[in-house]
Amino acid sequence: MTKRVVISALCGVLLVLSTGCGDECVDVFDCRSDKGPPPAGKDWTCRSGNCELRDVQRPPEEDAGTEEDAGTEQDAGTEVDAGTDAGTADDGGVVVIGTGAKGEACTASSDCAAGLRCEGTTEAMTCQALYVAFTAMDDTDEMAAVVTRFDEPEPTRLSDAEVDSRYPRWNPAGSRIAFVQGATETGTSTGNMAGELVARDMPLVAGTPTMLANGTTGSTEGFLYLEWEPGNSLLYVRRDGDSISGISRVPAEGGTVEQVTALGSSPAWRNGNTFAFSTATVGISTDTVGGGAPRPLAIAGPTAEQPHYNRVNDQLLFLRPDDARPVGLNTALYIVPVSGAAVQTIAEFSTAAVEGGSVDSYIANPTWAPDGSWVAYVRAYFFNPTTGEPELCGAGPSPCAGDPGNIIFLRRINPADGTPVGDEVSFAEGATLPSFSPDGHYVAYIQTGQLYVQQIDPAAGAKVGDPIVHPLGGYTLQTSRGDDHRPRWQPR
């Protein structure tokens, strides 16, 4: 089964069924490759990593040339003032951007310019570039959790070279980084090993990482969809054979692991203790550590998935499939405030007629600017023939073979009601997994296996100068697990 970068992680980020992900399909293309052609009148869909048959539901032929509505009510917006400086503190306070240049003395990060934080000893604090962490494959085909300053390609591995490591995650202070080491992920229901969830202090010093949990203490065969900042503890999704479902919590300093939900996936912290997650048939729910039963967010719909909070209010970004579109390739993007106000549609499924069918796109890998004034997401493009199997753009003998298979877009959000402002703006072709810096002045993303960092004007969303490109240097950044592989910025 071939995994495809362009449609990264539609398995794990889709709603989790009780059976979970077996072979962890990514999309409908994987199912067709693995399971063969579907029966007449049916089509494959990848739901929660499982290949399922569904009745074919295609738009009428006469509509093939229209820009069809993705059919979801995703709300793209937040309640933050679109004119404020990009970047806010986790509790809603505006992140102050100073003027201190790299290497200049400081007493707090608010003294430092965008992209910098104040660090060092009490006697010698200076403004230094933020780190970006990611999962890569090294030139020996081992997985490696890696950090690098965003402005200089100096990758540093978080584990010994002979030890597999992956999924680096920061604590809210940016002073500690957790990751998984010694894990084995086979892509099947057997042979998986959780390894250990460990942590190291930053700046890095020689020594053995501190173990926070392992497969036995965590009752899991894998620490998946791991999240830390801005939470006070770490959340992960449990694996048990074919099942990838249920969320557990690990205290920041280690200790007794707590099961916080029996089912669910894609946890997303709202603040120190409250988080959202997805489950099959229910959609998105919210929960608080020690706060009792989860609370379904009915307004998002029972098929909503991949929740993402911004850092200043209750606005929640999410995806939702449209059953009127080709199954497995039909997600659109929305925003909803947990307070219950109207859902807003941000980015829809699109279709454009071409000879022999249509070129369509759906939405994947969404994320917020920290202050909620922008969203970034990926449009994945494919040729949908009148007869035959869909093909990804960018390869093969399709009408879109010469076009990029995926493009990162930015879209401005109205803070008053969460509606999109203006048109979506193409940001990076052939790229995926965008990630805003904590001050909102930079966007990191992955392209051709390399880390790119692009400065932006947070007021206009325009690019500032050329991107900083981090050459491979023996590491190829991974994208197949979607948000699990999104570059993670050190908190400011």
Side-chain angles (χ1 to χ4, degrees):
M1 180 178 294
T2 301
K3 301 299 180 187
R4 295 168 175 81
V5 170
V6 62
I7 317 172
S8 55
L10 283 184
C11 161
V13 295
L14 289 177
L15 298 183
V16 175
L17 301 172
S18 60
T19 55
C21 292
D23 54 8
E24 295 190 49
C25 60
V26 172
D27 52 58
V28 68
F29 296 99
D30 281 345
C31 294
R32 288 169 180 162
S33 174
D34 190 50
K35 303 291 187 181
K42 299 285 187 178
D43 205 348
W44 292 111
T45 183
C46 176
R47 183 168 171 80
S48 303
N50 287 332
C51 294
E52 298 179 356
L53 286 170
R54 288 188 180 181
D55 293 334
V56 172
Q57 293 176 300
R58 296 184 181 276
E61 292 183 7
E62 60 268 23
D63 292 338
T66 61
E67 293 289 331
E68 296 199 25
D69 187 343
T72 57
E73 298 177 351
Q74 283 176 293
D75 179 357
T78 63
E79 299 171 359
V80 182
D81 185 351
T84 60
D85 190 7
T88 59
D90 291 340
D91 293 331
V94 174
V95 168
V96 178
I97 306 298
T99 58
K102 186 176 179 178
E104 291 186 356
C106 58
T107 58
S109 292
S110 57
D111 298 330
C112 302
L116 308 178
R117 61 177 266 143
C118 190
E119 61 182 50
T121 64
T122 305
E123 295 77 18
M125 302 283 285
T126 58
C127 296
Q128 298 296 331
L130 294 168
Y131 281 101
V132 177
F134 49 85
T135 300
M137 182 176 288
D138 66 18
D139 52 14
T140 67
D141 293 336
E142 288 289 334
M143 299 292 281
V146 177
V147 294
T148 185
R149 300 278 189 183
F150 85 89
D151 60 343
E152 297 179 1
E154 296 181 352
T156 300
R157 194 172 187 139
L158 293 174
S159 63
D160 294 336
E162 64 273 12
V163 179
D164 173 288
S165 59
R166 59 189 76 195
Y167 311 144
R169 300 291 186 266
W170 298 97
N171 72 346
S175 60
R176 208 163 196 233
I177 189 166
F179 57 98
V180 178
Q181 70 174 17
T184 300
E185 294 182 4
T186 65
T188 68
S189 62
T190 60
N192 297 292
M193 295 179 60
E196 297 176 339
L197 177 60
V198 300
R200 298 186 66 175
D201 292 333
M202 294 291 291
L204 294 173
V205 296
T208 302
T210 301
M211 189 184 78
L212 305 179
N214 59 28
T216 300
T217 62
S219 301
T220 185
E221 295 173 10
F223 294 96
L224 304 178
Y225 314 114
L226 182 66
E227 295 296 337
W228 194 351
E229 147 324 286
N232 294 329
S233 53
L234 295 95
L235 297 177
Y236 67 89
V237 176
R238 299 183 298 276
R239 177 200 282 276
D240 181 10
D242 281 336
S243 176
I244 297 178
S245 186
I247 299 168
S248 291
R249 184 183 73 90
V250 182
E253 300 302 324
T256 303
V257 178
E258 172 193 4
Q259 176 178 305
V260 290
T261 71
L263 298 174
S265 187
S266 301
W269 285 112
R270 172 185 171 193
N271 50 36
N273 289 295
T274 299
F275 62 96
F277 64 99
S278 301
T279 50
T281 71
V282 174
I284 295 171
S285 298
T286 63
D287 201 355
T288 300
V289 174
R295 296 166 292 282
L297 189 61
I299 192 173
T303 57
E305 61 202 26
Q306 295 192 54
H308 294 273
Y309 281 109
N310 65 45
R311 298 300 168 81
V312 298
N313 55 36
D314 286 344
Q315 294 285 5
L316 192 68
L317 190 67
F318 67 95
L319 294 174
R320 192 171 67 196
D322 176 7
D323 287 337
R325 305 292 177 176
V327 294
L329 304 169
N330 56 354
T331 49
L333 184 63
Y334 304 85
I335 290 174
V336 63
V338 175
S339 59
V343 168
Q344 298 290 339
T345 303
I346 304 310
E348 300 172 316
F349 177 99
S350 72
T351 182
V354 296
E355 183 177 357
S358 61
V359 173
D360 301 338
S361 76
Y362 64 93
I363 310 301
N365 306 131
T367 192
W368 283 107
D371 72 345
S373 62
W374 293 92
V375 294
Y377 49 89
V378 174
R379 275 196 180 275
Y381 291 86
F382 63 100
F383 172 54
N384 193 22
T386 304
T387 59
E389 302 300 318
E391 298 179 27
L392 292 172
C393 294
S398 74
C400 59
D403 299 329
N406 49 320
I407 300 175
I408 293 174
F409 284 87
L410 302 186
R411 194 149 201 198
R412 186 73 162 172
I413 302 304
N414 184 325
D417 56 11
T419 56
V421 178
D423 296 330
E424 61 181 11
V425 178
S426 178
F427 185 76
E429 295 187 352
T432 190
L433 295 173
S435 178
F436 287 92
S437 64
D439 51 38
H441 286 252
Y442 293 87
V443 178
Y445 56 92
I446 300 175
Q447 186 173 354
T448 61
Q450 300 177 108
L451 177 68
Y452 282 63
V453 181
Q454 174 67 62
Q455 186 176 2
I456 66 170
D457 175 354
K463 297 179 182 179
V464 178
D466 295 326
I468 301 167
V469 183
H470 292 242
L472 292 177
Y475 292 108
T476 301
L477 275 67
Q478 300 298 288
T479 60
S480 62
R481 290 194 60 86
D483 207 53
D484 258 358
H485 284 156
R486 192 189 302 273
R488 303 298 179 112
W489 286 85
Q490 181 183 28
R492 195 165 184 270

